[in-house]
Amino acid sequence: MGLGKSYFFVGVGGSGMMPLAMILAGRGARVAGSDRSLDQGRVPAKFAALEALGIALHPQDGSGIVSPEQIVIASAAIEPTVPDMIAAERVGARRLSRADLLSHLFNDTRVRIGVAGTSGKSTVTGMIAWILHATGHQPTVMNGAVMKNFATPDAPFASALVGAGDAFVSEVDESDGSIALYRPDIAVLNNVSLDHKSMEELRLLFGAFIASARTAIVNIADAEAAALATRLPAAQRLTVAIDQPADLVARNLVEAPFAVSFDLSEAGAAAHRVTLRVPGRHNVANALAAIAAARAAGIGLADAVAAIAGFAGLKRRFDLIGEAGGVAVIDDFGHNPDKIGATLDTLRAFPGRLLILFQPHGYGPLKVMRAELVDSLAARLAPGDLLILPDPVYQGGTVARDVTSADIVADLAARGAPTRYIADRAEAAAMLVREAQPGDRIIVMGARDDTLSQLGADMLAALATRTTGPQHRQPLAE
């Protein structure tokens, strides 16, 4: 699988596909691709960034796949009826899944740091990336989110790094079982909770992943992760936790609306004060995991602590878009019960109503996590809040609609939660803008849809330009 070959990514703009294409292009491979969103004219800046890297873009009509020499990369979400897949079969091009290609690149590296868990993977990956970069180790990084530290006006979609060093840092995905393909030197497990698979399947996948590593970094404050850690020899694991015994412990947390600090203690050493530019207890847990991974890679604790203070966060992870008229607008990737709960808990630590637009990331996930999602939301919504659910993201293909946004709203209403179903996303956003008052926080939540960030920006613009008369308020773009 040499870099002199030609790769074609079907769905090149996806959050997991784009950074992988960027890594291959950065290493000198010939890379091309197609994307349904490109054909629909969605997020043009993303595709312009890919073209600027020398990645050739084609319509998703089969026209870009013309040779058996091409290696066609497609995720599990790509259906065999997509014209590109038909073209690949017709010309006899070799097919690989995204996970096959990524795991090959990962496993072929000397220092392999794999980040797993239901929540926090992208943030921990970004934190490790920044620590390694700031300490001069030039890592290669595969992330599912844009890392603000590495984003520039010329490269705004920095979800990947191509470094000359020995380390490869990557998120690893349990949703399709591909986590089993990776052979980590250092394995991070932040937490285990229901998302894409049953708990029994998750225990097997995550347990095997950490068992395969030289060193497993485990957050033992998470009961499921702690249970898996107990199966490992003590010499193979490095544990972290907040306010409970572990190899690295965080204590004396002080939270601010968009930051948090804490004391980091390691057995036999003086405590270090750690300051993060991202908020919430969940980010303290993320930082502990990242610092522990850096320790396992040979970086001194003081150096890791100094470096992580400069971590600027990720796009769409509690990302403050701006404030207008006393109303803050926050863009967030929360889409499963744990991620949503962590974001709302962070916001709840400070006064102000929560006005939430949550676009579910698919009908299938809604069916799997219906009860847990309702529990998480119902426990965190106060009487003055408002949660609106539009229809789930849908970008084509066949899908069973057994559980809908309306079903989730009905479940929440039965629990007395302040929530509404408004099918059209633009109408939902416009209603929240009308409702917003000084001191409120608007949160745009959801995954698998890059246009949510633009929606948040449009809501901020509408807040900035609205007047007292509702007839003068600005319409929101879809």
Side-chain angles (χ1 to χ4, degrees):
M1 200 183 303
L3 292 178
K5 295 186 179 297
S6 177
Y7 297 86
F8 191 97
F9 284 75
V10 183
V12 69
S15 62
M17 298 283 269
M18 183 173 178
L20 185 51
M22 292 165 69
I23 289 171
L24 284 174
R27 290 183 169 184
R30 297 192 303 278
V31 182
S34 66
D35 199 282
R36 182 181 290 150
S37 292
L38 173 67
D39 295 346
Q40 295 169 347
R42 294 158 61 93
V43 202
K46 172 190 286 189
F47 297 103
L50 286 170
E51 287 185 311
L53 295 173
I55 296 172
L57 299 178
H58 300 267
Q60 202 170 84
D61 59 5
S63 61
I65 300 175
V66 296
S67 167
E69 300 302 314
Q70 290 173 289
I71 299 173
V72 176
I73 314 299
S75 71
I78 301 297
E79 297 170 320
T81 54
V82 170
D84 281 347
M85 305 314 297
I86 295 172
E89 185 173 357
R90 183 177 66 247
V91 303
R94 181 183 175 189
R95 273 203 56 188
L96 282 178
S97 71
R98 168 191 166 276
D100 286 332
L101 177 57
L102 175 57
S103 62
H104 173 84
L105 296 174
F106 180 86
N107 294 338
D108 199 36
T109 307
R110 193 174 74 81
V111 180
R112 304 170 304 282
I113 305 175
V115 181
T118 310
S119 302
K121 290 189 293 292
S122 297
T123 298
V124 174
T125 299
M127 287 176 165
I128 296 170
W130 180 245
I131 293 171
L132 292 177
H133 174 84
T135 54
H137 290 79
Q138 300 182 61
T140 292
V141 182
M142 160 75 198
N143 203 334
V146 173
M147 298 174 281
K148 290 184 180 181
N149 287 99
F150 303 109
T152 66
D154 293 334
F157 294 90
S159 55
L161 287 183
V162 181
D166 292 332
F168 195 122
V169 187
S170 181
E171 288 190 47
V172 296
D173 191 8
E174 81 284 355
S175 65
D176 59 359
S178 63
I179 187 174
L181 299 173
Y182 298 85
R183 299 290 175 264
D185 182 42
I186 299 165
V188 177
L189 179 59
N190 229 18
N191 44 57
V192 182
S193 62
L194 192 67
D195 193 349
H196 299 280
K197 292 184 175 294
S198 70
M199 290 303 296
E200 291 74 18
E201 291 175 291
L202 292 173
R203 290 174 189 128
L204 288 171
L205 288 168
F206 288 133
F209 176 70
I210 62 174
S212 69
R214 168 180 61 80
T215 303
I217 313 299
V218 184
N219 173 19
I220 58 172
D222 180 86
E224 289 284 351
L228 295 176
T230 61
R231 303 177 187 177
L232 302 179
Q236 191 181 353
R237 64 180 187 248
L238 183 58
T239 59
V240 302
I242 299 173
D243 289 331
Q244 69 182 66
D247 295 315
L248 290 176
V249 182
R251 296 187 176 90
N252 303 320
L253 276 63
V254 177
E255 296 193 56
F258 293 94
V260 64
S261 61
F262 60 94
D263 288 333
L264 174 62
S265 300
E266 184 180 32
H272 294 264
R273 191 67 184 171
V274 181
T275 301
L276 302 178
R277 294 163 59 186
V278 290
R281 287 178 64 90
H282 63 294
N283 274 318
V284 174
N286 291 336
L288 287 172
I291 291 169
R295 292 283 283 124
I299 295 171
L301 187 61
D303 289 338
V305 166
I308 204 168
F311 175 67
L314 305 178
K315 292 284 189 181
R316 303 222 61 235
R317 282 11 178 227
F318 207 99
D319 191 4
L320 177 64
I321 300 175
E323 187 173 337
V327 180
V329 180
I330 296 164
D331 187 21
D332 191 70
F333 190 67
H335 61 280
N336 66 31
D338 276 7
K339 288 185 172 75
I340 290 170
T343 293
L344 298 187
D345 286 345
T346 301
L347 288 161
R348 263 298 159 239
F350 299 92
R353 289 195 309 165
L354 304 183
L355 305 181
I356 307 162
L357 189 152
F358 169 44
Q359 177 181 271
H361 62 297
Y363 290 93
L366 272 190
K367 183 177 181 180
V368 170
M369 62 187 184
R370 178 177 184 171
E372 290 78 7
L373 181 63
V374 170
D375 285 344
S376 180
L377 287 165
R380 292 172 171 88
L381 291 170
D385 298 335
L386 178 59
L387 165 68
I388 300 181
L389 271 71
D391 285 334
V393 61
Y394 175 70
Q395 295 174 354
T398 57
V399 63
R401 304 188 181 199
D402 298 332
V403 176
T404 68
S405 294
D407 295 321
I408 301 300
V409 167
D411 291 350
L412 285 165
R415 302 270 290 268
T419 183
R420 287 190 59 179
Y421 165 62
I422 299 178
D424 182 75
R425 193 179 77 176
E427 290 181 15
M431 180 177 182
L432 289 183
V433 169
R434 288 195 300 271
E435 288 288 321
Q437 301 170 8
D440 292 347
R441 283 80 55 82
I442 290 177
I443 309 97
V444 178
M445 305 185 94
R448 296 182 184 169
D449 186 348
D450 292 327
T451 66
L452 284 169
S453 295
Q454 185 58 50
L455 181 72
D458 292 341
M459 293 173 79
L460 180 66
L463 285 166
T465 58
R466 70 181 183 176
T467 61
T468 54
Q471 69 272 19
H472 299 302
R473 290 187 179 122
Q474 300 297 311
L476 289 163
E478 177 59 73

